[in-house]
């Protein structure tokens, strides 16, 4: 009868079956064994592989300690040099070596010394340092400075002569004093001219992208400068002289 099927017989009490316990397992090997026989998967049993050193073996011996240079690599013995150096000087004789006696020479040291001195290279004679203050012409003006100074003086004289000729009235010309009315009238005309030029200069565009605009602006600026110079000349001083050509 399936448990999911509904039936009246399922209401009846059923007897419970107790499972039976399996028999105890008894090993076929001998149970009384020595623990030293367990190798724990190793080929050969070790004394302190898992449980440490035996009793009394943990302390180190007093004579077993790390000595100086014990772990340093040992170098082989040095070989004889491949290119031995030749001694330039003879070895010093030992104390046990007897000295040589009876040695003599026929060399004439006086003649040899004279020949050596004659053939020797002469030594340099120490010379005193040259004193520049004792040379001829020290302290005097060099010739090229004299020429330059004379050239500058000549040019200055020529320029002064030219300016004097420009400032002085020409020969045969008549010099007259400008009256106050004429001076004021001339100043008024110059200021009117300066005003018209300044008005034309102010109306010029800021950008001078063409040569014509640039040339026009430069002409107006030059004319303004000339008129300002004339006004300052007339306003300076009380007497104004006029040259009639």
């Amino acid at each position: 009868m399936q448990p999911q099927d509904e039936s009246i017989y399922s209401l009846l009490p059923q007897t419970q079956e107790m499972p039976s316990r399996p028999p105890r397992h008894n090993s076929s090997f001998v149970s009384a064994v020595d623990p030293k026989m367990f190798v724990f998967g190793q080929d050969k049993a070790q004394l302190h592989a898992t449980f440490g050193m035996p009793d009394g073996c943990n302390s180190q011996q007093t004579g077993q300690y790390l000595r100086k240079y014990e772990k340093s690599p040992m170098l082989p013995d040095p070989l004889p040099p491949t290119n031995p150096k030749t001694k330039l000087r003879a070895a010093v004789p030992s104390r046990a070596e007897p000295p040589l006696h009876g040695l003599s020479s026929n060399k004439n040291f006086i003649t040899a010394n004279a020949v050596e001195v004659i053939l020797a290279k002469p030594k340099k004679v120490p010379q005193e340092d040259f004193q520049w203050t004792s040379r001829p012409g020290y302290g005097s003006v060099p010739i090229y400075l004299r020429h330059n100074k004379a050239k500058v003086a000549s040019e200055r004289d020529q320029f002064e002569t030219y300016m004097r000729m420009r400032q002085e009235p020409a020969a045969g010309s008549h010099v007259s004093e400008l009256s106050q009315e004429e001076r004021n009238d001339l100043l008024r005309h110059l200021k009117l001219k300066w005003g018209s030029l300044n008005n034309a200069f102010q109306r010029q565009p800021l950008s001078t992208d063409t040569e014509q605009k640039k040339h026009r602006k430069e002409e107006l600026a030059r004319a303004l400068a000339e008129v300002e110079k004339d006004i300052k000349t007339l306003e300076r001083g009380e007497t104004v002289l006029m040259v009639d050509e």
Side-chain angles (χ1 to χ4, degrees):
M1 180 182 295
Q2 298 294 333
Q4 64 270 14
D5 296 339
E6 295 182 358
S7 176
I8 195 172
Y9 292 101
S10 61
L11 301 177
L12 296 177
Q14 297 179 4
T15 58
Q16 295 182 358
E17 296 181 359
M18 298 298 294
S20 60
R21 188 174 183 179
R24 181 180 178 181
H25 174 73
N26 294 324
S27 178
S28 60
F29 300 98
V30 181
S31 59
V33 296
D34 189 1
K36 296 181 180 180
M37 298 176 60
F38 292 95
V39 297
F40 298 101
Q42 298 183 6
D43 297 338
K44 182 175 66 174
Q46 298 181 3
L47 296 179
H48 52 281
T50 57
F51 299 101
M53 298 285 291
D55 294 339
C57 297
N58 290 327
S59 61
Q60 298 181 358
Q61 300 295 330
T62 57
Q64 297 179 359
Y65 57 88
L66 185 63
R67 290 173 173 80
K68 188 177 182 181
Y69 304 114
E70 185 175 352
K71 291 187 178 182
S72 300
M74 300 300 294
L75 299 178
D77 296 336
L79 300 176
T82 54
N83 298 325
K85 295 183 179 180
T86 57
K87 294 184 179 181
L88 301 179
R89 297 182 179 180
V92 179
S94 61
R95 297 177 60 184
E97 185 178 354
L100 299 177
H101 298 283
L103 296 178
S104 61
S105 177
N106 297 327
K107 180 180 179 181
N108 190 351
F109 290 95
I110 298 176
T111 306
N113 292 340
V115 171
E116 184 178 357
V117 170
I118 292 172
L119 297 178
K121 186 178 180 180
K123 297 181 179 180
K124 291 184 178 180
V125 179
Q127 297 180 358
E128 297 181 358
D129 296 337
F130 180 73
Q131 299 294 333
W132 292 96
T133 56
S134 60
R135 68 179 179 84
Y138 177 79
S140 59
V141 181
I143 299 176
Y144 73 95
L145 289 181
R146 298 177 186 174
H147 293 335
N148 294 343
K149 188 175 181 180
K151 185 177 180 181
V152 171
S154 175
E155 292 178 356
R156 187 186 299 110
D157 295 340
Q158 293 178 5
F159 179 75
E160 291 178 356
T161 304
Y162 170 73
M163 294 301 296
R164 195 183 308 109
M165 291 175 62
R166 286 193 58 183
Q167 294 177 1
E168 292 179 356
S173 60
H174 179 68
V175 179
S176 61
E177 182 180 354
L178 197 65
S179 63
Q180 189 66 26
E181 291 79 8
E182 294 176 351
R183 180 180 180 182
N184 295 334
D185 191 14
L186 185 58
L187 280 173
R188 184 173 56 82
H189 283 289
L190 287 175
K191 290 180 179 180
L192 290 175
K193 184 178 181 181
W194 182 89
S196 61
L197 290 175
N198 187 32
N199 191 12
F201 183 81
Q202 295 295 335
R203 288 198 301 266
Q204 292 296 318
L206 297 178
S207 62
T208 55
D209 50 355
T210 60
E211 289 293 333
Q212 184 178 1
K213 294 179 180 180
K214 184 177 179 181
H215 184 66
R216 176 61 178 168
K217 198 168 186 179
E218 290 178 355
E219 284 185 353
L220 290 174
R222 192 181 305 107
L224 279 172
E226 291 179 358
V227 173
E228 289 177 358
K229 183 179 178 182
D230 295 340
I231 292 173
K232 290 181 180 180
T233 303
L234 288 176
E235 290 179 347
R236 183 178 54 202
E238 298 180 357
T239 304
V240 179
L241 300 178
M242 185 176 59
V243 179
D244 298 334
E245 296 181 357

